[in-house]
Every structure is written in structure tokens, then in C-alpha cells.
Amino acid sequence: MKTSAIITAITKSIVKMDRILVYRHTNPDPDAIGAQFGLVALLKAAYPEKLVVAMAPVPGHLAWIDTTDEQLVPPPKQRT
């Protein structure tokens, strides 16, 4: 799959969703946390009508970078 097709597929998926939860790997280093929060900031700017949340707690020794706001995520709507 070409890069442009991948980007198109990702964009279509984002447009369909009401909320976007951004995860990263466990035992993160500062680069992983920075990438996660950078992506959250980009998505919030591009899709202000959507709930965009950084998930997974930041380890205490890296809390100076930022903290996640996963407690803001409401449960998913029930589909009928």
C-alpha cells in the first residue's frame, strides 16, 4: 500500500470517530511520551470537534513532561 493510500485510510477512520484515544508503549521513554502528546496536540488542532485523549499514565519519574487525561474519556455510546 502506498503512503498516500495509508494516509487516506487513516484520515477516513478518524473522520468517522467521535473520540480518538492515543496510546503508546509500556515503560515509555521521553521520546515515546513526547510523540504521544505531539500527536494528541496535532489531532486536537485538526479535529477540534472530537474528543482526543492521551492514554496510559506517565511514569512518576517522567511526570515533568506532562500527564495524561484518560479520566476524561466517557464510556462508549451503546449502539442500537
Side-chain angles (χ1 to χ4, degrees):
M1 188 179 245
K2 291 186 176 183
T3 302
S4 61
I6 293 170
I7 292 171
T8 300
I10 291 170
T11 303
K12 285 181 179 180
S13 294
I14 290 171
V15 168
K16 290 190 295 189
M17 300 299 148
D18 294 327
R19 60 189 193 162
I20 304 164
L21 310 179
V22 181
Y23 288 85
R24 51 153 170 75
H25 60 78
T26 57
N27 195 21
D29 57 5
D31 286 344
I33 295 168
Q36 180 186 31
F37 286 110
L39 180 57
V40 167
L42 177 102
L43 290 168
K44 283 181 176 182
Y47 302 96
E49 72 283 2
K50 298 184 182 299
L51 174 66
V52 182
V53 179
M55 300 298 289
V58 175
H61 69 286
L62 296 174
W64 56 270
I65 298 173
D66 207 343
T67 57
T68 58
D69 48 5
E70 61 188 300
Q71 71 278 2
L72 301 176
V73 181
K77 295 176 185 173
Q78 296 295 323
R79 294 182 188 223
T80 56

